[in-house]
Amino acid sequence: RKEVEQDPGPFNVPEGATVAFNCTYSNSASQSFFWYRQDCRKEPKLLMSVYSSGNEDGRFTAQLNRASQYISLLIRDSKLSDSATYLCVVNPSNYGGSQGNLIFGKGTKLSVKP
Amino acid sequence: DAGVIQSPRHEVTEMGQEVTLRCKPISGHDYLFWYRQTMMRGLELLIYFNNNVPIDDSGMPEDRFSAKMPNASFSTLKIQPSEPRDSAVYFCASSLRPQTVNTEAFFGQGTRLTVV
């Protein structure tokens, strides 16, 4: 099983739609979770951290289910500018002794159409 | 701050040649990461440094790859000799603290390497 798995997509949705991405991780000891966004031919940028209780930032909502080792990202009222690849990111923390590591999923591609 | 600065942005080289990628992290960031991104494998961590000391190099593919951080403001990733399968986008990133909640890794714009 890969460390961080995501559906690669692409997800093609109309403007205004609600879209959800899922991600699973293999290391149950993982402590920190993030969603990064990567535009075409650009560098990844932090979208939001994922807190145990779930968190919301405007149109974006992130959820964590530790029991199922599952992370989700919900985008409401999608905009054309949301078109990008969304990377699920996990810090395995004490796994293997690495404190600063980040494990990236391969990303889910979103395309928002007019 | 100008962010993480990488050079060159693009590099095309012939198989067997030495390639050196450069990175200047954000001032004051204690952690520096080198990643490689390909379509097949996504983003992979190659190595990371804490306070200029290599902490985890388990992602370095083989002995042809080496990385150094001689001071807090500069790091290099060297490939010698380069092979076509090394073609990828190489990202450098830095962060202030370990990657816990509320800590962001800032990425440079990447170096697109093509080995022919």
Side-chain angles (χ1 to χ4, degrees):
Chain A
R1 183 179 174 185
K2 295 178 183 175
E3 293 192 75
V4 179
E5 291 199 70
Q6 296 181 251
D7 180 346
F11 284 58
N12 298 308
V13 303
E15 270 188 291
T18 295
V19 61
F21 305 137
N22 303 320
C23 165
T24 57
Y25 60 95
S26 60
N27 182 3
S28 59
S30 297
Q31 296 297 315
S32 306
F33 310 90
F34 311 85
W35 285 100
Y36 275 68
R37 169 189 169 134
Q38 187 173 21
D39 292 300
C40 186
R41 301 180 77 85
K42 299 287 189 181
E43 72 274 20
K45 293 184 179 180
L46 179 67
L47 177 66
M48 58 196 303
S49 297
V50 184
Y51 302 129
S52 294
S53 55
N55 48 298
E56 189 174 302
D57 183 1
R59 297 182 294 109
F60 299 83
T61 301
Q63 296 280 350
L64 169 65
N65 184 323
R66 285 187 183 275
S68 302
Q69 294 177 211
Y70 171 97
I71 306 160
S72 66
L73 177 68
L74 183 77
I75 305 176
R76 290 181 300 279
D77 188 23
S78 53
K79 313 290 185 190
L80 296 176
S81 57
D82 294 334
S83 297
T85 296
Y86 291 83
L87 304 169
C88 177
V89 187
V90 174
N91 181 354
S93 191
N94 292 322
Y95 179 68
S98 288
Q99 297 292 319
N101 196 357
L102 285 179
I103 306 297
F104 283 78
K106 288 189 180 180
T108 299
K109 186 172 182 179
L110 172 66
S111 181
V112 181
K113 306 292 187 183
Chain B
D1 199 313
V4 176
I5 299 173
Q6 290 187 247
S7 65
R9 291 290 307 280
H10 302 274
E11 176 82 32
V12 180
T13 190
E14 291 185 348
M15 182 172 64
Q17 297 297 307
E18 177 179 296
V19 175
T20 299
L21 312 181
R22 297 173 176 79
C23 175
K24 182 181 187 305
I26 292 172
S27 177
H29 281 193
D30 291 336
Y31 288 80
L32 183 140
F33 308 83
W34 281 101
Y35 287 90
R36 176 173 70 176
Q37 186 172 38
T38 61
M39 288 291 292
M40 287 294 295
R41 301 173 67 91
L43 261 171
E44 302 173 283
L45 179 69
L46 300 176
I47 185 171
Y48 80 92
F49 297 82
N50 179 19
N51 290 323
N52 313 337
V53 176
I55 302 300
D56 183 356
D57 66 354
S58 59
M60 296 285 262
E62 48 199 273
D63 291 346
R64 297 185 297 107
F65 286 68
S66 62
K68 294 182 180 180
M69 192 165 186
N71 57 63
S73 59
F74 184 66
S75 176
T76 60
L77 177 68
K78 186 175 293 187
I79 309 172
Q80 166 64 19
S82 57
E83 296 182 3
R85 60 192 167 120
D86 301 331
S87 297
V89 180
Y90 291 81
F91 286 105
C92 175
S94 70
S95 69
L96 191 58
R97 292 181 293 272
Q99 297 304 306
T100 56
V101 170
N102 292 326
T103 299
E104 179 175 359
F106 293 85
F107 283 75
Q109 292 181 302
T111 295
R112 187 171 295 273
L113 173 66
T114 304
V115 183
V116 298

